[in-house]
Amino acid sequence: MTKNKIKDLVSRLTLEEKAGLTSGLNNWLTKPVDRLGIPSVRTSDGPHGLRLQESEVNKKLEEITAPAVCFPPACTLACSFDRELIKRMGEEIGKECQAYGVDVILGPGVNMKRSSLCGRNFEYFSEDPLVAGELGSAYVSGVQSQGVATSLKHFFANNQEYRRMDWSSDLDERTMREIYLPAFETIVKKASPATIMASYNKINGIHSTANKQGLTDILREEWGYDNLVISDWGATHDRVAAIKAGCDITMPAEKTDDNIVKAVLNGELLEEELNACVERILQFVFELVENRKGGNFDFEGGHKLAEEVAAGSIVLLKNEEKQLPLNKKAKIAFIGEFAKSPRYQGGGSSHVNSKSVKSAFDAITSLGLSVMYAQGYETDARKASNNPELLTEAIEVAKNADVTVIFAGLPENMETEGVDRSHMRMPEYQNELIRSVCNAVPNTVVIMHHGAPVEMPWVDAPKAILDTYLGGESIGKAVVDVLFGDVNPSGHLAETLPVKLSDNPSYLFYGGENGHVSYSEGIYIGYRYYETKELKPLFPFGHGLSYTDFKYGNLKLSKSEVNSSEGLNVSVDVTNIGKYTGKDVVQLYIAPPKGTIKRPVRELRGFEKIELLSGETKTVIFELNAREFSHWNIVTHSWLIEEGEYTVQIGENAHDIILSEIVKVNAPKLPSGLKYSDLTTIGDFYAHPLGKEFVEANLGYMLFGMVNIGMIPAALIQAIGIKEGDRVNLELINTIAENAGTAQGESGGIAVFLALSINMLVGFVPEETKEKFATLLDEMNWTGSF
Ligand code: BGC
């Protein structure tokens, strides 16, 4: 519908109707206005599959939620690092939505994994904004290519479930811009999501739905977003404030439309502000209705794609003595209840009523292979504890096999929306099972199921570990294909797996107090922290093995020196030197120079997933732009580059860097951000051109003054032959310090001098110079003076 028609329609709506349109009809539908032919559209949860729900109380989940294909959730998808695969999955979900008459699927969730404890980590992609932004864009493009809208969530800084409705994420400007906003920014700019969901939490004290800085200043004015903003379900607490801030629809149904009408009548809310929301709502609704196609959905095709996605996301964490792949003729034992009933998705609003679930046990037997089985443990939370009988049975079964595969991980009740975990441990009965079986038999493989990092105190015991995260309904077949090498694993970790919870950078602050959570670790989340702090994780971000080996070479930069506004092309050759076809994730990091701005030692700035036949070489090209070298500058409130030598690195993961090349980036000097005063150190003063002139012109007075009051011996300055009022530079000061025998060590002599505040020097200068000092400070404090 054209803009003019929409405006005409808006002009025919009553004030009450307009107010009504800004909230839902019920839990899932937007409000229609039958009188003017304005239809309603249907939203539904997801996002890793459709969760079409009719709200009927007292019924079981399966009775009220339509059966659908359960794809792997975002924690798993992210490990694929595969934009194309995720786009195809999005397309498939879009088709399923069309078949079920769903217009908007509520996702993807792209919040950063700040802590391993967040109960919703399984719904989020990564600890890295580039990964979440790129893969989230692929999902949104896929779904929306089918004429179905997405809802990018939860905007923003929504990183814990504890007290999720009212805690305030207190974070500084740079942390917001560099860590918590960029994934949203990338998706807005690349994939234009039809809606964005404003989150439950407060941001620096203001609820997201009323946060004008986020919803209007940044989202609309800076990033140019002109689609719809909707509230998370029940996240609006002041309808008028929400509209004023830029939140168009409050979901679900609300009985507070009158507040909006009153606010317009008493002038608190301008009718134009309300009209702007209504125009966006009508544009959105009519477009979706035009896009409706209906049709039938091919569940089998969907199940097959879910299998491909799961297989493409499984991470081979370790593989000693090439334990994997397994020989189909080997006598194999499966141990652990997850072999028969896999843990494949998380709990809460994203929980899908899977059309069909295939376990690894089903998959291996349907290949006609026999496998021994022992339950090992019970996942039912009421019964789960160390069960000596199950343990003994597991060891006996393992002893009769050539290879034992243990299926382990977190039970469903430990990971769900609305609740955070209180620790990072697996159930102790599983740890004991893994240790005992690995002690009893030599050839062991552990298959992990979990939505967020867990401690693995037994990590050295098994020969191989395959991490499936939460693999969706087809996980069983995907695992079996990887076990036998029918699929070569190619997943890589999209988050760091720390050794223990207290290693996590947010450990001291997570959860918060008095309604406030301080994001004091700032920009140092995930690998940005572990690498900068030199703290060894269990497995680093980006890690993932393959049954084949890759060799990297020929790293080339298009230029060795660039100006800050120019781009840089980087190419690298990757060769498959092993005997299997395999996929690799080529990772490009940039390490900044040691400058005046504190930065992580390296940050991921590009990744590509490529497939190589045995012996094949491919050249991967990355196009870097200025933003890739920038930091968010809090003096200018913009992206700036600090001049210096940046190292372009190709890494197997965030820790193991294989190739690197240096590029010199020229850029204007950064504004210092220092407020010069009489307490500024002589060193900082000296770093400013005007300050340097002042120090050199007046230092002589200080030296003579110090002699006069007996602070330094006259012989020291006589030795260098200066007269009162002479210019003195730092070399001369250094000579004095050397003569005094105080120049040794980094904190000796001159360092002590530079650490004195400038008022020490000013105390000795002639009166007329003292009078001019205030003017000098003003000049130096003029922003952008150099
Ligand atoms: C969740 C959203 C979800 C919505 C609708 C909220 O509680 O935070 O992610 O889309 O409910 O079910």
Side-chain angles (χ1 to χ4, degrees):
M1 188 175 278
T2 61
K3 282 229 168 350
N4 282 345
K5 280 192 180 160
I6 299 270
K7 279 198 188 300
D8 175 55
L9 210 46
V10 174
S11 71
R12 288 192 282 138
L13 286 163
T14 64
L15 180 57
E16 288 70 19
E17 284 168 336
K18 289 194 275 193
L21 278 167
T22 66
S23 87
L25 174 68
N26 55 28
N27 209 37
W28 305 112
L29 298 179
T30 63
K31 223 175 256 165
V33 181
D34 297 336
R35 180 179 77 82
L36 292 173
I38 298 171
S40 91
V41 294
R42 180 179 288 279
T43 67
S44 168
D45 265 317
H48 59 269
L50 186 56
R51 176 189 164 85
L52 177 56
Q53 200 181 8
E54 294 302 343
S55 42
E56 290 181 53
V57 271
N58 300 332
K59 283 201 169 182
K60 285 199 199 131
L61 175 70
E62 306 76 56
E63 290 163 358
I64 56 167
T65 310
V69 176
C70 177
F71 289 90
C75 62
T76 318
L77 288 184
C79 299
S80 75
F81 279 80
D82 193 333
R83 298 174 178 86
E84 265 317 296
L85 190 62
I86 295 175
K87 183 156 182 260
R88 278 171 54 211
M89 174 181 138
E91 286 163 5
E92 201 68 11
I93 291 174
K95 287 180 195 156
E96 201 174 15
C97 289
Q98 285 286 3
Y100 272 118
V102 167
D103 303 293
V104 189
I105 185 155
L106 303 173
V110 295
N111 296 94
M112 290 294 99
K113 300 186 190 212
R114 177 174 176 243
S115 161
S116 309
L117 298 181
C118 172
R120 277 187 110 164
N121 272 359
F122 68 87
E123 284 187 65
Y124 302 140
F125 287 89
S126 182
E127 65 188 22
D128 182 80
L130 176 74
V131 176
E134 287 291 309
L135 301 183
S137 295
Y139 175 95
V140 169
S141 305
V143 172
Q144 296 198 161
S145 71
Q146 300 307 306
V148 171
T150 54
S151 191
L152 184 62
K153 64 194 189 182
H154 306 90
F155 188 75
F156 69 97
N158 181 275
N159 310 98
Q160 72 183 41
E161 290 297 284
Y162 176 64
R163 295 189 170 156
R164 66 176 176 159
M165 303 296 274
D166 75 339
W167 100 87
S168 173
S169 301
D170 292 352
L171 68 174
D172 63 76
E173 173 188 346
R174 184 171 170 211
T175 302
M176 243 184 233
R177 296 294 189 147
E178 291 192 19
I179 304 295
Y180 294 95
L181 282 171
F184 291 98
E185 182 181 0
T186 303
I187 301 170
V188 163
K189 291 181 177 168
K190 277 195 149 177
S192 189
T195 80
I196 288 188
M197 191 188 286
S199 54
Y200 283 134
N201 55 293
K202 293 177 189 156
I203 300 161
N204 294 329
I206 303 172
H207 267 113
S208 291
T209 48
N211 195 310
K212 180 174 169 294
Q213 185 203 16
L215 298 182
T216 297
D217 302 351
I218 297 178
L219 184 59
R220 296 200 188 279
E221 285 169 13
E222 267 187 48
W223 299 349
Y225 181 73
D226 54 13
N227 297 337
L228 209 64
V229 173
I230 64 176
S231 75
D232 197 345
W233 269 228
T236 303
H237 308 289
D238 177 340
R239 296 278 300 283
V240 175
I243 290 177
K244 283 177 112 42
C247 179
D248 302 306
I249 300 195
T250 282
M251 286 300 280
E254 273 274 347
K255 293 201 175 79
T256 48
D257 296 348
D258 270 3
N259 295 354
I260 297 173
V261 172
K262 273 189 219 140
V264 172
L265 295 178
N266 71 23
E268 191 195 338
L269 177 69
L270 299 178
E271 192 153 0
E272 295 84 80
E273 292 178 280
L274 177 61
N275 288 352
C277 291
V278 176
E279 280 175 28
R280 284 192 288 261
I281 294 167
L282 296 187
Q283 187 79 46
F284 165 79
V285 165
F286 281 108
E287 204 171 304
L288 286 175
V289 170
E290 263 171 44
N291 287 343
R292 284 180 183 160
K293 296 193 263 217
N296 291 322
F297 181 66
D298 168 13
F299 285 100
E300 258 178 53
H303 184 83
K304 198 80 201 120
L305 181 61
E307 181 186 314
E308 193 182 333
V309 177
S313 308
I314 290 177
V315 186
L316 178 60
L317 289 178
K318 67 180 270 196
N319 194 17
E320 279 168 13
E321 300 166 31
K322 295 207 186 321
Q323 174 73 68
L324 292 176
L326 302 180
N327 187 328
K328 285 191 178 132
K329 292 195 185 116
K331 269 169 51 189
I332 298 172
F334 277 3
I335 289 180
E337 207 172 293
F338 288 156
K340 284 197 172 173
S341 12
R343 169 85 209 294
Y344 62 94
Q345 65 173 327
S349 63
S350 71
H351 196 279
V352 174
N353 176 13
S354 311
K355 174 90 174 151
S356 85
V357 183
K358 193 154 200 172
S359 71
F361 188 84
D362 298 336
I364 198 167
T365 44
S366 64
L367 287 179
L369 300 173
S370 68
V371 65
M372 292 175 271
Y373 173 75
Q375 187 185 341
Y377 53 82
E378 284 177 301
T379 49
D380 181 333
R382 285 155 305 179
K383 299 191 224 149
S385 65
N386 283 354
N387 182 330
E389 278 164 38
L390 292 181
L391 189 59
T392 315
E393 182 201 17
I395 292 171
E396 281 317 304
V397 169
K399 280 185 176 159
N400 287 315
D402 299 326
V403 187
T404 302
V405 184
I406 307 168
F407 291 76
L410 291 178
E412 190 146 16
N413 68 328
M414 288 179 94
E415 280 177 305
T416 184
E417 176 180 339
V419 188
D420 286 335
R421 285 189 294 162
S422 57
H423 60 78
M424 223 180 78
R425 296 186 300 277
M426 279 172 48
E428 192 41 41
Y429 57 86
Q430 289 198 32
N431 287 334
E432 192 183 336
L433 174 78
I434 297 172
R435 275 194 218 100
S436 312
V437 173
C438 293
N439 250 336
V441 294
N443 298 325
T444 47
V445 179
V446 172
I447 313 268
M448 289 295 294
H449 304 65
H450 58 119
V454 289
E455 291 170 15
M456 300 184 197
W458 38 259
V459 68
D460 294 329
K463 283 204 178 138
I465 306 176
L466 275 181
D467 201 336
T468 70
Y469 270 83
L470 301 174
E473 67 177 44
S474 314
I475 184 60
K477 177 73 165 57
V479 162
V480 168
D481 282 349
V482 170
L483 279 177
F484 289 126
D486 295 327
V487 170
N488 190 348
S490 63
H492 286 248
L493 293 173
E495 66 182 321
T496 310
L497 301 188
V499 174
K500 55 184 189 306
L501 179 63
S502 58
D503 288 351
N504 187 286
S506 69
Y507 176 70
L508 297 177
F509 321 107
Y510 191 75
E513 60 226 333
N514 305 323
H516 289 265
V517 186
S518 159
Y519 281 43
S520 292
E521 73 284 1
I523 56 173
Y524 296 94
I525 85 162
Y527 70 86
R528 286 169 167 77
Y529 171 76
Y530 296 101
E531 289 306 307
T532 310
K533 182 78 170 52
E534 299 180 356
L535 184 62
K536 197 171 178 317
L538 188 62
F539 293 103
F541 170 91
H543 170 72
L545 305 174
S546 164
Y547 297 152
T548 193
D549 292 303
F550 300 101
K551 191 166 164 277
Y552 292 77
N554 220 4
L555 174 62
K556 282 197 211 132
L557 311 187
S558 56
K559 292 177 188 159
S560 57
E561 185 166 347
V562 289
N563 291 327
S564 55
S565 54
E566 284 176 290
L568 176 75
N569 283 359
V570 177
S571 66
V572 62
D573 291 347
V574 189
T575 307
N576 180 347
I577 54 167
K579 58 180 195 241
Y580 297 92
T581 297
K583 291 184 182 168
D584 191 23
V585 177
V586 186
Q587 301 165 40
L588 183 149
Y589 296 85
I590 294 186
K594 284 228 174 328
T596 55
I597 301 294
K598 297 211 184 313
R599 300 186 70 174
V601 289
R602 70 180 59 91
E603 291 178 278
L604 186 75
R605 293 301 191 220
F607 65 86
E608 282 305 324
K609 188 155 196 180
I610 51 164
E611 180 162 27
L612 293 167
L613 302 173
S614 168
E616 193 185 2
T617 299
K618 277 187 184 158
T619 303
V620 177
I621 296 174
F622 295 96
E623 288 172 14
L624 303 178
N625 58 35
R627 174 78 177 263
E628 257 93 59
F629 296 92
S630 309
H631 65 278
W632 181 264
N633 192 284
I634 59 162
V635 180
T636 59
H637 311 290
S638 65
W639 295 102
L640 284 187
I641 296 182
E642 177 153 29
E643 177 162 86
E645 291 190 337
Y646 289 75
T647 313
V648 176
Q649 305 176 325
I650 299 294
E652 270 179 8
N653 52 56
H655 183 71
D656 298 298
I657 301 304
I658 317 162
L659 297 173
S660 51
E661 281 293 333
I662 289 177
V663 59
K664 164 106 198 314
V665 183
N666 299 317
K669 207 165 165 118
L670 295 179
S672 81
L674 274 180
K675 182 92 181 130
Y676 295 97
S677 74
D678 57 347
L679 298 179
T680 301
T681 66
I682 294 180
D684 283 339
F685 232 71
Y686 202 80
H688 189 292
L690 297 178
K692 180 174 178 189
E693 173 55 32
F694 179 82
V695 172
E696 291 192 349
N698 294 296
L699 206 54
Y701 295 109
M702 181 178 177
L703 292 174
F704 278 87
M706 286 165 91
V707 170
N708 288 342
I709 58 173
M711 271 177 84
I712 55 173
L716 275 182
I717 55 172
Q718 278 157 9
I720 57 168
I722 54 161
K723 298 190 296 306
E724 190 160 9
D726 276 359
R727 284 183 76 85
V728 175
N729 59 27
L730 278 199
E731 276 102 74
L732 285 179
I733 294 289
N734 209 22
T735 314
I736 296 176
E738 271 168 14
N739 291 347
T742 58
Q744 297 89 354
E746 288 197 354
S747 53
I750 192 157
V752 172
F753 169 76
L754 293 175
L756 297 175
S757 50
I758 193 75
N759 60 5
M760 289 282 289
L761 191 153
V762 175
F764 294 105
V765 300
E767 276 316 304
E768 70 272 24
T769 312
K770 268 190 200 142
E771 279 158 25
K772 287 188 201 141
F773 184 66
T775 321
L776 173 69
L777 285 180
D778 284 347
E779 276 180 65
M780 288 173 71
N781 282 327
W782 179 65
T783 353
S785 61
F786 69 102

